[in-house]
Amino acid sequence: MDFRFSPHEQAFKQDVQEFIKKEWPKEPVADTDDMEEESKQSHLRGRAFAKKLAKKGWLAMAWPKQYGGGGASHIEQLIYHEEMSYRGAHIDTPISMGLSWVGPSLLLYGTEEQKKTFIPKILNAEEGFCTFYSEPGAGSDLAAMQTRAVADGDDFVVNGQKIWTTGAHHAEWGWLAARTDTTVPKHKGISMFLVDMKTPGLTVKPLVNMAHVHSFNEDFFDNVRIPKQNVVGELNRGWYLLAVALDFERSGVGTFAGHTRNLEQLLDFARNTKSNGGRLSDNPTLRAKLAELKVEIEAGRFLAYRIAWMQSKGLVPNKEASISKLFGSELGQRLYKAGMEMLGLYGQLDKGSKWAPLKGAIERGYLSSVSATIAAGTSEIQRNIIAQRGLGLPR
Ligand SMILES: Cc1cc2nc3c(=O)[nH]c(=O)nc-3n(C[C@H](O)[C@H](O)[C@H](O)COP(=O)(O)OP(=O)(O)OC[C@H]3O[C@@H](n4cnc5c(N)ncnc54)[C@H](O)[C@@H]3O)c2cc1C
C-alpha cells in the first residue's frame, strides 16, 4: 500500500481545508445550559453546513455520478472525512443517515416515485431521516424486533416501540424496520417503511444521555398509518435492506481525526500549565502516556487508511471495518480517561463553567465515549465478527 497522496489528492485536501475554514462557524454553539436549545442550534448549524456542501457538490461526493453524486474516489472520501472531523465540522445526523443508508437503499430498491420524491431532498440537504431499528428487546439481535405493521386498505398500521433513535427530534422522515409476517423465521418477516414524522400516533420522547445531551429518543407507534406506497423494496425482505450502505466510505477515519484533535489540545494544555514548579509536560509518566496515545492514534489512522485503500482496489472490507470501529471507540475511552486524569479535579467541570479546562471538551468527550462502544454494533459484536471472519473461529 502507498501512504502518499497523489498531487490531485493533495490539492483536494487543501480545497477541503480552505472550504471548512471559510464556511464552518468559528464560534462555538452558544454556551447555554438549555439542553434542547443546544441540540437545536447544533442541528441547525449542521443542516446549514450540509446545504453549503450540497451547493459545492461535496455533500453526496460518495454517490455515483449517475445518481447526482460526486463520484469521488474512496481516497477523496477519506480525505474529506478526515478533514471534517479534525476541524470539528459536521452535518446534522438526519442528513447523514439519508446519505449513508436511506438514499442508497432507495436507489437500489425504491420505486421510481420514491426516487423522484426523496433523492433530490437528500442530495440538497432539504430533509433528513432517523433510523428506527432498535427496540427495548432487540439491539444486537435486531431480528428479534416486535414492532408490527399490519396491512389495512391502502395503508399499513404500525404499533410498537423503538428506542435509541438518534436525531428523531430533528428528522422529517423515519426509516423504519417493522415485522410484517409473524409466521416465518424472524429474519424473513421484516419490511422497510418511510414514515412521515408528523404522522398522528407517532410520539417521540427525549432520552438524555449522561453527558446531559439530547441526541437520541424513544418512540411510540400507536396505530400509525403508513401509505403502502411508502414500503421500500419487497414486502418481508426488509432484512436484506438493513445491511445496505453500499460500499461507501466506511473506514472510520473520522474517529481517529477527532482523537488527533483532542490529543493536540491535551498537549497544548500540558505545555502551558504550571505544575510542581515546572510544567505539566515535564512529568515523565504523563509524557509516556501521551506518547503512547499518539502511537495508538497513528496505528488507528492506518487501520482506517487500509480500509479506504482496499475499497479503492475493489476489495470489500469486512473484519477490517470491525477492527477499526473496535479500536477507535475503545481508544477514545483510553484517550479521554488519560485527559481526565491530566486535568485533575477541574476536568470534571462542564463547558458552562469559566473554570472548565479546554472549555469542558474532555469532560464531554469522556462521558460520550462510553456510548461509542455500544452504538453501531457493540465491542463484543465486533470481536465476534473479528473472531469468526478474521480468525476463522467457529460461531
Ligand atoms: C449513541 C447511540 C446511538 C444509537 N443510535 C441508534 C439509532 O439511531 N437507531 C437505532 O435503531 N439504534 C441506535 N442505537 C442502538 C444501538 O444500535 C444498540 O444499542 C446496539 O446495537 C446494542 O443493542 P442493545 O442496546 O439492545 O444491547 P444488547 O444487544 O441487549 O446487548 C447487551 C450486552 O450484551 C452483549 N451481547 C449481545 N449479544 C451478544 C453476543 N452475541 N455475543 C457477545 N455479547 C453480546 C452486548 O455486547 C452488550 O454488552 C444507538 C446506540 C447508541 C449508544
Side-chain angles (χ1 to χ4, degrees):
M1 123 163 230
D2 186 351
F3 288 104
R4 283 166 308 180
F5 291 133
S6 69
H8 167 78
E9 287 158 357
Q10 273 296 356
F12 175 68
K13 187 178 164 84
Q14 186 93 26
D15 281 353
V16 177
Q17 284 172 355
E18 279 164 18
F19 183 82
I20 297 172
K21 262 192 220 154
K22 186 161 159 252
E23 302 290 355
W24 180 252
K26 283 174 198 46
E27 67 286 0
V29 165
D31 259 345
T32 166
D33 276 344
D34 183 341
M35 188 178 52
E36 290 307 333
E37 182 57 26
E38 187 186 340
S39 168
K40 188 172 137 205
Q41 285 194 28
S42 173
H43 152 67
L44 290 176
R45 179 175 285 200
R47 185 67 65 99
F49 192 59
K51 288 196 168 131
K52 288 182 177 171
L53 286 165
K55 257 200 192 136
K56 178 86 183 158
W58 284 349
L59 183 66
M61 72 161 62
W63 285 29
K65 276 206 161 109
Q66 70 263 36
Y67 297 129
S73 72
H74 288 285
I75 303 296
E76 284 168 330
Q77 292 169 45
L78 172 124
I79 291 171
Y80 165 82
H81 284 294
E82 191 166 39
E83 289 302 326
M84 288 275 284
S85 293
Y86 178 68
R87 285 159 210 285
H90 62 84
I91 60 175
D92 75 321
T93 309
I95 293 296
S96 98
M97 289 189 182
L99 287 164
S100 301
W101 48 85
V102 182
S105 303
L106 291 175
L107 291 174
L108 285 179
Y109 304 106
T111 60
E112 279 315 306
E113 189 59 32
Q114 288 170 344
K115 288 183 205 170
K116 242 182 30 219
T117 310
F118 291 100
I119 298 299
K121 290 180 181 166
I122 295 174
L123 288 175
N124 297 323
E126 277 162 28
E127 292 187 350
F129 299 77
C130 63
T131 304
F132 289 123
Y133 289 169
S134 304
E135 296 183 4
S140 304
D141 181 14
L142 190 55
M145 69 177 69
Q146 297 294 324
T147 295
R148 287 291 318 271
V150 178
D152 181 34
D154 290 340
D155 301 331
F156 274 88
V157 179
V158 181
N159 282 288
Q161 186 191 349
K162 295 287 176 180
I163 196 166
W164 315 124
T165 325
T166 307
H169 52 312
H170 297 310
E172 284 81 5
W173 290 90
W175 173 242
L176 168 74
R179 187 161 297 289
T180 36
D181 189 345
T182 50
T183 62
V184 289
K186 59 182 182 179
H187 290 90
K188 297 203 167 146
I190 293 170
S191 304
M192 295 305 304
F193 300 85
L194 291 159
V195 52
D196 185 333
M197 294 298 287
K198 293 192 288 296
T199 314
L202 172 51
T203 311
V204 175
K205 289 195 175 166
L207 286 175
V208 177
N209 70 16
M210 67 179 176
H212 201 58
V213 174
H214 174 196
S215 69
F216 47 37
N217 304 273
E218 58 181 339
D219 327 279
F220 299 87
F221 290 76
D222 182 10
N223 288 322
V224 172
R225 296 193 84 88
I226 303 180
K228 280 187 174 160
Q229 74 244 31
N230 283 9
V231 174
V232 181
E234 233 179 284
L235 206 58
N236 296 324
R237 297 203 32 101
W239 185 254
Y240 307 96
L241 266 79
L242 292 180
V244 171
L246 290 188
D247 63 344
F248 294 170
E249 211 282 331
R250 57 186 299 225
S251 70
V253 73
T255 304
F256 299 104
H259 293 345
T260 302
R261 187 185 69 234
N262 285 313
L263 183 67
E264 286 174 5
Q265 285 190 318
L266 287 173
L267 286 170
D268 259 5
F269 184 83
R271 284 191 198 101
N272 296 312
T273 303
K274 293 198 178 105
S275 167
N276 288 333
R279 288 169 309 169
L280 199 53
S281 56
D282 298 331
N283 178 326
T285 314
L286 180 66
R287 292 163 70 94
K289 180 60 117 192
L290 292 170
E292 197 178 305
L293 287 165
K294 174 70 180 161
V295 172
E296 289 192 272
I297 292 171
E298 286 300 299
R301 250 182 89 212
F302 289 128
L303 289 175
Y305 275 42
R306 179 170 170 231
I307 293 170
W309 173 80
M310 284 178 74
Q311 291 184 293
S312 74
K313 298 283 168 216
L315 304 167
V316 179
N318 183 301
K319 62 180 186 291
E320 291 82 1
S322 288
I323 292 172
S324 176
K325 199 276 166 170
L326 175 68
F327 189 67
S329 53
E330 295 195 347
L331 172 57
Q333 293 179 352
R334 292 194 288 280
L335 172 68
Y336 286 114
K337 182 167 180 287
M340 288 298 279
E341 284 167 3
M342 193 176 138
L343 302 184
L345 289 175
Y346 282 97
Q348 297 178 34
L349 294 171
D350 199 6
K351 69 179 183 118
S353 165
K354 67 174 177 172
W355 303 106
L358 304 175
K359 298 195 173 125
I362 301 300
E363 181 252 10
R364 257 299 154 95
Y366 179 67
L367 294 173
S368 302
S369 67
V370 175
S371 65
T373 54
I374 301 169
T378 66
S379 284
E380 288 76 17
I381 296 300
Q382 306 303 338
R383 285 195 168 84
N384 280 348
I385 295 171
I386 298 163
Q388 284 159 27
R389 299 185 199 156
L391 303 176
L393 297 174
R395 279 177 80 84

